[in-house]
Amino acid sequence: MENFVEIYKNAISSDDCKIIIDDINSCCLLPGTMGGVVNPEMKDSLVSPRYFTDHSPASLIIANSLESCKEEYIKKHPQLNRIHKWDVNDAYNLQKYNPGQGYHISHCENAGGSSLMRVLSWMIYLNTVNSGGTTSFDNYNIQTTAVEGSLLIWPAFWTHFHHGVVSLTETKYIATGWCSYSDPTLESMLFALDNKKSG
């Protein structure tokens, strides 16, 4: 059965993964949120929000790898060429999970509201985790292993609910983001609606 979760091994070199991890460890990290709310029982992580347009070393490394993997994903799933125009979001996150931390609650990346524009999700494992640290996709009975340099792409919708499996002994580093429909007008409306609800 096709699960549409594609794994691209060695998408980022070990040296480049270390550059990004050093960046994470040298910056000011924020508590991870779910729907704009800090709730460690649901998501317990440390996050550095980023933008590809900052042209930082981390952004350049990830953007280069992501572009080639995205093209491979489209080749395997060509129906993506037959939907509304979409591309990689400018915004993405660098994340750190200390031992015992994790994204505990099962979730999908497009749950409506401000996430309505998302088409695909992507994630890069920046280090290898040997005990736990996997990502579990509920509907497909698969767990993807955290292996340094591996890049995952999967659909953002309800079909792909997933959650992190906690490592009690190791730190896990990842980069995460989305590909979304390109519609600046609708995106602005959703952003304004989301801010109104949280304001």
Side-chain angles (χ1 to χ4, degrees):
M1 177 182 175
E2 175 65 77
N3 58 45
F4 296 92
V5 179
E6 304 297 343
I7 304 171
Y8 303 96
K9 297 180 179 178
N10 302 309
I12 293 183
S13 71
S14 180
D15 287 345
D16 283 344
C17 284
K18 288 177 173 59
I19 288 171
I20 301 171
I21 288 173
D22 287 344
D23 184 332
I24 295 172
N25 285 326
S26 66
C27 70
C28 181
L29 298 171
L30 305 171
T33 64
M34 185 172 182
V37 177
V38 176
N39 184 342
E41 291 185 3
M42 296 168 64
K43 181 181 182 181
D44 189 14
S45 67
L46 298 167
V47 179
S48 175
R50 298 296 177 93
Y51 294 90
F52 286 114
T53 47
D54 67 18
H55 301 297
S56 66
S59 292
L60 293 172
I61 291 166
I62 294 170
N64 183 56
S65 176
L66 186 57
E67 185 61 28
S68 60
C69 293
K70 182 191 78 172
E71 293 305 316
E72 288 299 313
Y73 193 91
I74 293 170
K75 284 180 185 177
K76 185 166 183 181
H77 306 289
Q79 295 95 337
L80 287 165
N81 286 318
R82 298 170 60 189
I83 61 175
H84 187 76
K85 185 180 176 183
W86 59 274
D87 209 340
V88 176
N89 280 32
D90 184 34
Y92 71 97
N93 291 313
L94 298 179
Q95 301 191 59
K96 177 180 182 178
Y97 293 90
N98 287 315
Q101 290 187 311
Y103 204 141
H104 307 297
I105 191 168
S106 188
H107 63 286
C108 64
E109 303 299 329
N110 182 336
S114 60
S115 67
L116 186 62
M117 304 291 285
R118 295 174 184 169
V119 178
L120 298 172
S121 307
W122 60 266
M123 174 173 63
I124 301 169
Y125 294 119
L126 297 170
N127 69 313
T128 298
V129 180
N130 295 301
S131 175
T134 61
T135 305
S136 180
F137 288 86
D138 303 355
N139 294 331
Y140 303 98
N141 195 31
I142 59 171
Q143 291 192 0
T144 58
T145 305
V147 175
E148 180 189 70
S150 292
L151 190 154
L152 278 63
I153 300 177
W154 70 91
F157 304 101
W158 62 269
T159 53
H160 285 73
F161 267 76
H162 58 283
H163 65 277
V165 176
V166 173
S167 175
L168 298 177
T169 57
E170 298 177 68
T171 300
K172 175 181 171 182
Y173 295 92
I174 60 173
T176 61
W178 311 272
C179 298
S180 295
Y181 290 119
S182 304
D183 190 333
T185 303
L186 181 56
E187 193 168 6
S188 297
M189 288 171 58
L190 291 169
F191 182 76
L193 179 62
D194 196 48
N195 283 345
K196 186 176 181 181
K197 285 194 303 184
S198 62

